[in-house]
Amino acid sequence: MLKDKIEELKKEKDVVILAHNYEIPEVQDIADFVGDSLGLARQAAKTPHKTILFCGVHFMAETAAIISPEKKVLIPDTNAGCSLSDSINLEQLKKWKSEHPNAIAVGYVNTTAEIKSELDYCCTSSNAVNVVKAIPDDKEILFLPDMFLGSYVAKMTGRKNMLIWAGECHVHAGITPDHVKEKLNSLANAEFLIHPECSCTTPMMYDVANGSYSSNQVQILSTEGMMNHVKNSKSNEFVVATETGILYRMKKQNPDKKFIPASEKAECEYMKMITLEKVYNSLLNETNVVTVPKETADKARLAIERMLAIS
């Protein structure tokens, strides 16, 4: 069986397999660690293995290569990209920075290594609020590339001097307030877990603050935040507004609880590109090595290390 062959190769070649929460179930099952981008970056930083096989999208594998330059990083499919990462390029960022020479650039981890090399701070959805809070109040901030996460952070920190890039993740942007309201109305006892990249986040935060959802609990959380929340919650029913791949891990770890996607269509085709066959081939042939030029990596590492230091 392919699964057994992967296990053998992994041991033989001293490989650790990291998989994102949105990967297909059989890929999650063969991984040594499953988590969000921050959790996986931390695993990449501390793993003793000489090779990292990254089951996720390309920017995540690049992050691992930047953090662990002495290790070999493989990705099973080099075409596993990211619509959010594609929403800003190096020229656009340099121009934006030149228009605001004293600003601090804060970029989401969902960006290319080139973009990261131009940032002061990197962040993930789980620590974006804390990263922005760590920057002096009088400093102007350029936040990129996710406009929904940016709006959420600005609201949570009360920051008035934060400029936000107009990028989005096509999957999360597709989860609308209508999707959530429809489920809210039909599931009175469910808790709602919403990823801050969703287009429903910004309007819903105001509604939450106004007490519009008094009968439902609404939490805005990163994917790992969602995992921790459902484990500790006394609720038995959850509506989950993020990519549907996370439901597999939720059900596996909480078999007695019920999980409903806010939108059944919230699937990332890039995350689903990685299959067991591709994992096996990448391990066997050590193909699709992800490398980042040293100069770019050295500059990007500083922003990532700042992210890892702020939990």
Side-chain angles (χ1 to χ4, degrees):
M1 263 176 66
L2 211 48
K3 201 175 163 184
D4 299 332
K5 287 180 181 173
I6 288 168
E7 287 295 335
E8 281 167 25
L9 275 173
K10 200 167 72 171
K11 290 192 186 94
E12 183 192 314
K13 298 192 171 202
D14 190 23
V15 178
V16 66
I17 299 181
L18 306 181
H20 193 271
N21 287 319
Y22 300 158
E23 291 294 316
I24 60 171
E26 48 268 39
V27 168
Q28 291 190 36
D29 285 344
I30 51 102
D32 298 293
F33 298 98
V34 180
D36 65 358
S37 44
L38 182 61
L40 296 177
R42 289 202 166 118
Q43 290 296 343
K46 69 183 187 186
T47 183
H49 300 275
K50 65 179 186 193
T51 301
I52 297 167
L53 181 78
F54 213 111
C55 300
V57 293
H58 198 266
F59 76 80
M60 296 177 180
E62 276 190 335
T63 305
I66 292 164
I67 296 169
S68 302
E70 72 293 349
K71 296 187 166 66
K72 182 184 276 188
V73 178
L74 307 171
I75 189 168
D77 190 332
T78 51
N79 294 316
C82 170
S83 60
L84 178 56
S85 176
D86 289 344
S87 66
I88 188 165
N89 63 37
L90 191 60
E91 281 60 47
Q92 288 169 322
L93 177 55
K94 283 183 169 174
K95 181 174 183 289
W96 201 28
K97 283 175 69 175
S98 71
E99 290 160 3
H100 304 273
N102 299 315
I104 301 285
V106 178
Y108 196 23
V109 73
N110 298 43
T111 45
T112 63
E114 276 189 334
I115 295 289
K116 288 187 181 79
S117 73
E118 287 289 328
L119 299 175
D120 297 296
Y121 286 87
C122 207
C123 71
T124 70
S125 53
S126 48
N127 74 352
V129 170
N130 288 340
V131 167
V132 168
K133 279 182 179 170
I135 296 165
D137 293 340
D138 59 341
K139 281 283 188 191
E140 188 174 47
I141 292 176
L142 303 181
F143 189 93
L144 63 120
D146 190 277
M147 59 182 168
F148 301 114
L149 180 64
S151 305
Y152 170 72
V153 172
K155 179 88 169 65
M156 295 305 283
T157 58
R159 198 95 186 195
K160 299 285 179 273
N161 54 349
M162 194 166 134
L163 302 173
I164 299 164
W165 190 259
E168 63 179 33
C169 155
H170 72 297
V171 176
H172 283 112
I175 301 174
T176 64
D178 290 344
H179 284 131
V180 175
K181 283 188 178 128
E182 187 187 310
K183 293 273 193 325
L184 273 167
N185 295 335
S186 62
L187 298 161
N189 300 319
E191 269 198 74
F192 276 68
L193 310 178
I194 300 173
H195 195 283
E197 280 178 44
C198 293
S199 67
C200 61
T201 307
T202 314
M204 284 200 71
M205 269 190 307
Y206 296 102
D207 292 338
V208 172
N210 297 335
S212 304
Y213 301 129
S214 51
S215 62
N216 294 90
Q217 267 189 289
V218 180
Q219 310 282 343
I220 296 172
L221 298 161
S222 68
T223 53
E224 212 53 34
M226 288 180 184
M227 290 303 305
N228 293 331
H229 182 80
V230 299
K231 184 174 69 181
N232 299 318
S233 173
K234 296 204 167 35
S235 300
N236 287 319
E237 194 169 46
F238 301 86
V239 174
V240 184
T242 189
E243 210 273 353
T244 56
I246 198 171
L247 297 174
Y248 174 69
R249 188 173 164 216
M250 285 180 169
K251 288 171 186 167
K252 192 175 169 183
Q253 291 184 7
N254 308 274
D256 51 340
K257 295 182 181 181
K258 188 178 178 188
F259 301 97
I260 302 142
S263 167
E264 288 78 5
K265 292 180 183 158
E267 280 210 352
C268 173
E269 67 269 27
Y270 299 114
M271 287 283 186
K272 306 305 187 225
M273 281 181 172
I274 292 173
T275 60
L276 278 189
E277 286 78 10
K278 289 176 184 176
V279 170
Y280 174 71
N281 288 333
S282 189
L283 267 176
L284 182 68
N285 304 312
E286 296 186 35
T287 45
N288 305 340
V289 178
V290 177
T291 54
V292 178
K294 188 179 185 307
E295 192 184 344
T296 304
D298 289 346
K299 283 163 76 180
R301 194 172 299 114
L302 183 61
I304 294 168
E305 282 170 354
R306 283 175 176 160
M307 169 187 83
L308 294 174
I310 300 170
S311 57

